[in-house]
């Protein structure tokens, strides 16, 4: 059984104006997906039955803030876009950065951003996102 350490993950991001680029300084990422269920029980049944429905996702990307780090400014500043057309592309990797390998890819919108600065600690930026459309999983 292979063990994957958290230090092997990465995030790639672009805002519709270029190609995916690795966001330098990524500290962590998370993705939660949810599938709605719809009841299909008919009258007279003893047990309820359901069918899977629409899938959506939300998540967080946490960065060790560095204003000069590749990809950070685009990710952090994407939250201030008005009438965002969901032009941002994400690819979250468990290992490496080879597109389509050990990753989850989707279009999405940065919904909020927070930068935290505490005396004696690293400055950390967190961005929350919501997926839009297909979520492609290449986890192996």
């Amino acid at each position: 059984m292979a063990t994957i350490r958290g230090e092997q993950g990465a995030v790639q991001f672009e805002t519709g104006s270029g190609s995916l680029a690795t966001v330098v300084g990524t500290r962590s990422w998370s993705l939660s997906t949810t599938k709605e269920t719809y009841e299909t029980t008919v009258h007279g049944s003893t047990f309820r039955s359901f069918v899977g429905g629409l899938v959506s996702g939300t998540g967080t990307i946490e960065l060790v803030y560095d204003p000069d780090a590749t990809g950070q400014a685009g990710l952090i500043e994407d939250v201030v876009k008005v009438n965002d057309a969901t032009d941002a592309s994400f690819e979250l990797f468990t290992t490496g950065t080879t597109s389509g390998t050990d990753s989850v890819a989707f279009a999405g919108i940065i919904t909020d951003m927070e930068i935290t600065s505490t005396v004696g600690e690293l400055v950390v930026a967190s961005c929350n996102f919501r997926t839009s459309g297909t979520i492609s999983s290449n986890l192996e």
Side-chain angles (χ1 to χ4, degrees):
M1 177 176 118
T3 302
I4 298 174
R5 297 175 297 167
E7 69 187 59
Q8 296 169 316
V11 171
Q12 289 189 351
F13 177 80
E14 69 93 11
T15 60
S17 59
S19 58
L20 286 169
T22 300
V23 179
V24 175
T26 298
R27 186 173 179 173
S28 67
W29 63 260
S30 68
L31 172 66
S32 298
T33 54
T34 304
K35 182 187 292 187
E36 294 178 7
T37 55
Y38 307 114
E39 187 171 354
T40 58
T41 308
V42 296
H43 287 286
S45 295
T46 303
F47 298 97
R48 294 186 182 276
S49 59
F50 297 86
V51 64
L54 299 172
V55 178
S56 63
T58 59
T60 302
I61 298 169
E62 186 179 61
L63 310 166
V64 175
Y65 181 68
D66 177 352
D68 298 323
T70 302
Q72 282 194 13
L75 180 70
I76 291 170
E77 293 171 3
D78 199 58
V79 74
V80 296
K81 287 185 177 177
V82 179
N83 299 322
D84 198 342
T86 317
D87 65 346
S89 297
F90 296 77
E91 191 159 5
L92 310 177
F93 296 87
T94 57
T95 59
T97 56
T98 303
S99 185
T101 304
D102 295 321
S103 66
V104 181
F106 52 88
I109 299 172
I110 301 291
T111 57
D112 59 271
M113 184 274 300
E114 175 181 21
I115 295 179
T116 305
S117 178
T118 304
V119 173
E121 295 183 17
L122 297 172
V123 175
V124 176
S126 295
C127 297
N128 294 315
F129 60 83
R130 174 171 296 280
T131 64
S132 179
T134 303
I135 301 170
S136 300
S137 177
N138 301 303
L139 299 173
E140 299 173 8

